[in-house]
Amino acid sequence: MTELALYIHWPFCKSKCPYCDFNSHVRASIDEARWRAALLKDLEHYAGLTRGRAIASIFFGGGTPSLMAAETVATVLERAAALWPLEPDVEITLEGNPTSVEAARFREFRSAGVNRVSLGVQALEDGALKFLGRGHDVREALAALDVARQTFGRFSFDLIYARPGQTVASWEPELDRAIALAGEHLSVYQLTIEAGTAFAPAHARGDFVLPDEETQAALYETTVARLEAAGLPAYEISNHARPGAECRHNLVYWRYGDYVGVGPGAHGRLTLDGARVATRQHRAPETWLEAVERHGHGGDEPVSLTPREQRDELLMMGLRLADGISRARFRERLGLDLEAALDRDRIASLTEAGFLDLDSERLVATPAGRQRLNAVLTRLLG
Ligand SMILES: C[S@@+](CC[C@H](N)C(=O)[O-])C[C@H]1O[C@@H](n2cnc3c(N)ncnc32)[C@H](O)[C@@H]1O
Ligand code: SF4
């Protein structure tokens, strides 16, 4: 049986950023001991389903897990190690905001077992950080990055581009500065306006205007080319790393491997008794907490995925990767050859249009295909 990844969701933030539609919430106070106990209970529930499988990576995502008490992180990691065997080189990542308060906790997180951090720097321009509603300025973010570099073997940070008014000429120096600050990994996301966020009505009202499509495409191409030239090629649409330094945890998702999802709103994909199942937790923090306290876990029963759902998910995930999907992996996961599971005419038309490549080894979305992956998937899967 293949290795397992473990995701733990911490749903709280100091303030809600206007662009963010993650399951993140602001609360005046939280009872952390109660939350800790619930996370441990939920871990135990999933360990019961996956006992004996080795854990290759653990990821504390959010929300803002760097706001967790180090004691909570340590207790969760100790319990995980008691419930599952951990691979000797297990990757343990914690997501965080680059503020001084949180940087002061980095050493404690390190002692708890965290060996990789991913920080939401978002921009290297104070005006842009203000627009994005961030609670830190560039100076504070750089100081937190310094602490991360000194404390953890591995660190990454996030940037958001295609912001209002941005041009290739203004983005290039910012990107070069990011390259100079980067370690082995960088995530660079194009700003998207998500329904239900504060940006959605503001954008609809015309309070700000995003760069036009042509500029967005040019910004994406500049990002990919400059990072590749700096030794940080894109291994996924928005993720760049030195070869070998990719985020192992995210690779499990994109390769459609098995992962346990613990905490409010967390998803999981597991192979149980030969069937592929999806697990899903209640999204609202308090609903989840009460469900765990009452029933020992915070979600509904696992749902079996049909072969078609599995095919679609495997393609949606795998085509995000620069390496695409190997024929061997496709067969191993779905028990079918690529050509037997997909419409040959659709593959042929997408290949001719320059959006897909299929050879004797793998199916890959070309850079042009990855840039418009949703449209490619719609044409491929119907
Ligand atoms: C869960 S957050 C990261 C952790 C931490 N809470 C923070 O904000 O620093 C994941 C990342 O997704 C990116 N992101 C979230 N919403 C986005 C949006 N609408 N457009 C582009 N990037 C977005 C941001 O770069 C953010 O750092
Ligand atoms: S971007 Fe990060 S800090 Fe901001 S609301 Fe989302 S999860 Fe919270």
Side-chain angles (χ1 to χ4, degrees):
M1 185 67 75
T2 51
E3 47 189 28
L4 201 60
L6 170 61
Y7 176 80
I8 295 144
H9 191 78
W10 186 256
F12 303 114
C13 293
K14 267 227 172 81
S15 57
K16 182 80 185 175
C17 304
Y19 54 85
C20 178
D21 79 336
F22 281 72
N23 189 22
S24 57
H25 307 264
V26 179
R27 296 285 182 267
S29 72
I30 57 157
D31 180 347
E32 187 146 347
R34 198 174 157 200
W35 273 87
R36 187 181 310 145
L39 286 174
L40 298 180
K41 237 183 184 181
D42 208 26
L43 271 183
E44 272 162 24
H45 171 73
Y46 283 104
L49 299 176
T50 55
R51 185 116 26 228
R53 299 198 37 197
I55 299 255
S57 91
I58 303 178
F59 195 101
F60 291 90
T64 309
S66 53
L67 294 174
M68 292 168 89
E71 190 194 341
T72 304
V73 174
T75 312
V76 166
L77 290 175
E78 275 160 28
R79 187 65 59 89
L83 292 168
W84 289 276
L86 303 188
E87 296 268 330
D89 59 346
V90 61
E91 175 188 275
I92 305 179
T93 306
L94 183 128
E95 258 181 2
N97 280 12
T99 74
S100 54
V101 179
E102 290 153 90
R105 261 184 242 176
F106 285 178
R107 208 169 288 162
E108 288 177 74
F109 290 138
R110 176 80 194 97
S111 305
V114 173
N115 55 27
R116 182 177 182 276
V117 282
S118 173
L119 297 180
V121 170
Q122 319 303 9
L124 295 170
E125 214 184 77
D126 280 334
L129 289 175
K130 207 158 178 214
F131 166 73
L132 293 169
R134 300 295 292 178
H136 54 86
D137 59 14
V138 173
R139 233 183 56 178
E140 194 174 4
L142 296 187
L145 267 186
D146 256 351
V147 182
R149 188 178 293 110
Q150 286 158 26
T151 312
F152 299 96
R154 303 175 63 196
F155 75 96
S156 176
F157 61 94
D158 298 345
L159 291 175
I160 297 180
Y161 73 101
R163 307 179 311 243
Q166 222 170 14
T167 60
V168 169
S170 69
W171 174 229
E172 276 177 344
E174 190 177 351
L175 188 57
D176 286 346
R177 197 162 172 219
I179 289 169
L181 293 165
E184 52 167 33
H185 192 285
L186 201 59
S187 303
V188 193
Y189 299 105
Q190 180 168 331
L191 178 60
T192 53
I193 304 301
E194 307 288 346
T197 62
F199 267 177
H203 180 246
R205 272 197 309 268
D207 291 0
F208 62 86
V209 179
L210 294 180
D212 59 30
E213 242 175 70
E214 206 178 304
T215 310
Q216 288 185 7
L219 289 168
Y220 174 80
E221 278 151 23
T222 302
T223 304
V224 170
R226 261 188 139 75
L227 287 174
E228 173 146 12
L232 291 162
Y235 67 99
E236 189 265 351
I237 296 174
S238 309
N239 285 276
H240 304 255
R242 302 202 190 289
E246 297 85 2
C247 172
R248 274 175 78 179
H249 189 83
N250 286 339
L251 280 179
V252 171
Y253 297 156
W254 295 320
R255 290 181 179 155
Y256 205 40
D258 274 13
Y259 53 96
V260 165
V262 162
H267 294 257
R269 290 289 179 278
L270 297 171
T271 310
L272 300 181
D273 303 323
R276 180 85 168 156
V277 303
T279 67
R280 195 189 182 136
Q281 307 263 355
H282 299 301
R283 204 170 144 84
E286 289 72 23
T287 310
W288 177 86
L289 186 65
E290 281 158 25
V292 176
E293 289 176 344
R294 207 164 296 156
H295 312 295
H297 61 92
D300 302 324
E301 287 303 307
V303 176
S304 276
L305 294 164
T306 65
R308 197 188 167 96
E309 285 168 336
Q310 292 179 53
R311 179 201 74 168
D312 291 0
E313 289 192 342
L314 179 78
L315 286 158
M316 276 189 253
M317 290 291 157
L319 291 179
R320 301 180 65 90
L321 289 169
D323 271 357
I325 301 163
S326 77
R327 285 178 176 274
R329 180 147 192 87
F330 194 92
R331 206 174 307 117
E332 177 200 316
R333 287 248 66 117
L334 298 184
L336 276 179
D337 282 331
L338 260 165
E339 275 92 351
L342 291 168
D343 183 312
R344 281 167 200 247
D345 292 340
R346 288 175 191 241
I347 296 187
S349 91
L350 286 162
T351 308
E352 273 159 33
F355 297 137
L356 288 181
D357 260 338
L358 178 65
D359 64 18
S360 59
E361 286 289 312
R362 53 188 64 246
L363 177 68
V364 182
T366 61
R370 267 179 273 145
Q371 217 180 323
R372 44 182 78 68
L373 188 58
N374 287 343
V376 170
L377 286 165
T378 305
R379 274 171 67 185
L380 181 63
L381 302 173

